[in-house]
Amino acid sequence: MGEPILVTEVGPRDGLQMSHSIMPTQVKIRWIEAMAKAGVKEIEVGSFVPPKLVPQMADTAEIVEASLGIPNLHVIALVPNLKGAQRAYECGAHAVIVPVSVSEAHSRANTRKGSLDQVEEVRHIVDWARTQDRPMKVDAGCATAFGCSIDGDVPESRVVEVATALAEAGVDSMALADTVGYGNPAQVRRLVRAVRAAVGTKLKRLHLHDTMGLGIANALVGLEEGIRCFDSALGGLGGCPFAPGASGNIVTEDLVFMLESMGFDTEIDLDALLKAREILQGGIPEETLLGNVARAGIPPTYRNAA
Ligand code: ZN
């Protein structure tokens, strides 16, 4: 058995929020079911944000509720604030992820708050969640940690400062997110080390975009640095409506191919994952799906790690 790696599918949230058409709710549910059946253990199924800003996410309550009926699936929703977290809790989500952008300009565009004010919002969410009957994990994503299309450079000291504040606010875990996909492997290594030195194992995952084609290389360096959880999107969809220039997430199929080929165990069946692409494509026929595994086919040399 290879060492386990958690691949968290973010396509239903990060991917669909940028699609030109709105995927019908029933197709979203069938798509999520198909990915779970392929072995995906954790899915970010939607976000509780104002539907007038992100109409693709208007059915998130229904999607969360349907996803809870899928056996062994950890259901995550993105929430920008306490109100969103309360809605996620009411719907039964297992965890929420709260974005905190390290870039001030992106933070204001995304949540209308500065970075440290958004950390305070996270603290309110944590404090509120801890008083509820049912446990709900509160994770945070340090967005634009590797650069910003509005602000440009994001100082690493600033990322460490925000991460430290989030740890003090009591989050269960956090991600470093390359929201616009400007990061490079050397930067990933430096930043993972710096943030780990500040917050230890609270830094759990990487959320990478492939804007410059370095997403998989960045994931590999994260892996070498001990990261064992990665976000990715089927078909490489994704982007941020409030971060101009961002393109899609790293491609789930390609990430699984790399990890399994290297002997890590994702428990995901690549063939079944490719079949789930057909449902995704059917739901948003005008979108171009990306991915090398889908283009080339699974090579005969491929073996599952397990
Ligand atoms: Zn993203």
Side-chain angles (χ1 to χ4, degrees):
M1 279 276 282
E3 189 182 346
I5 302 279
L6 181 63
V7 173
T8 300
E9 172 64 38
V10 298
R13 195 278 301 170
D14 206 326
L16 294 185
Q17 75 186 5
M18 291 297 281
S19 74
H20 296 94
S21 60
I22 295 177
M23 187 187 274
T25 304
Q26 288 313 312
V27 181
K28 276 193 199 180
I29 294 168
R30 279 204 293 127
W31 177 39
I32 290 167
E33 283 170 347
M35 290 192 289
K37 214 169 164 197
V40 177
K41 299 275 169 298
E42 188 167 273
I43 302 182
E44 206 173 297
V45 299
S47 58
F48 288 100
V49 292
K52 65 177 191 303
L53 293 180
V54 192
Q56 297 91 334
M57 296 293 115
D59 59 358
T60 294
E62 210 177 328
I63 298 294
V64 167
E65 280 158 16
S67 301
L68 291 170
I70 301 171
N72 304 320
L73 180 67
H74 196 243
V75 178
I76 308 176
L78 182 141
V79 302
N81 50 36
L82 178 60
K83 195 175 147 213
Q86 289 168 335
R87 288 195 59 206
Y89 179 83
E90 283 160 19
C91 295
H94 298 130
V96 290
I97 176 120
V98 194
V100 177
S101 194
V102 183
S103 141
E104 280 294 317
H106 180 256
S107 186
R108 288 186 192 285
N110 200 32
T111 60
R112 300 201 186 93
K113 284 197 176 87
S115 307
L116 292 177
D117 286 340
Q118 180 66 357
V119 173
E120 283 311 297
E121 189 73 25
V122 172
R123 190 188 305 276
H124 294 319
I125 295 171
V126 170
D127 291 348
W128 177 82
R130 300 287 181 257
T131 64
Q132 304 308 302
D133 298 336
R134 179 178 68 78
M136 181 177 74
K137 280 196 167 162
V138 180
D139 294 337
C142 298
T144 62
F146 298 87
C148 174
S149 53
I150 311 169
D151 258 354
D153 284 333
V154 173
E156 291 177 12
S157 58
R158 184 76 182 143
V159 181
V160 171
E161 185 188 351
V162 168
T164 304
L166 284 169
E168 282 165 3
V171 294
D172 288 295
S173 70
M174 67 182 84
L176 289 177
D178 190 6
T179 310
V180 293
Y182 292 173
N184 66 70
Q187 189 183 12
V188 170
R189 197 181 304 283
R190 278 198 311 274
L191 207 52
V192 167
R193 287 182 183 181
V195 173
R196 270 267 158 85
V199 305
T201 53
K202 288 257 176 188
L203 171 59
K204 191 175 161 206
R205 72 174 68 235
L206 287 177
H207 175 99
L208 301 167
H209 282 252
D210 199 31
T211 314
M212 307 309 293
L214 293 181
I216 282 282
N218 290 339
L220 179 60
V221 167
L223 194 65
E224 288 174 358
E225 290 300 318
I227 298 290
R228 291 295 177 264
C229 303
F230 296 90
D231 289 354
S232 60
L234 202 74
L237 293 176
C240 174
F242 307 106
S247 69
N249 288 278
I250 54 173
V251 178
T252 305
E253 307 87 297
D254 294 359
L255 177 67
V256 168
F257 176 79
M258 178 180 80
L259 293 170
E260 292 284 339
S261 299
M262 291 174 72
F264 291 98
D265 187 11
T266 65
E267 293 185 45
I268 295 172
D269 176 340
L270 198 49
D271 204 41
L273 200 57
L274 289 178
K275 293 204 173 74
R277 268 175 79 105
E278 293 163 21
I279 302 172
L280 167 62
Q281 186 73 81
I284 43 169
E286 79 292 354
E287 297 289 332
T288 304
L289 301 187
L290 305 174
N292 294 306
V293 173
R295 182 181 45 75
I298 301 172
T301 53
Y302 178 75
R303 299 282 181 276
N304 258 87

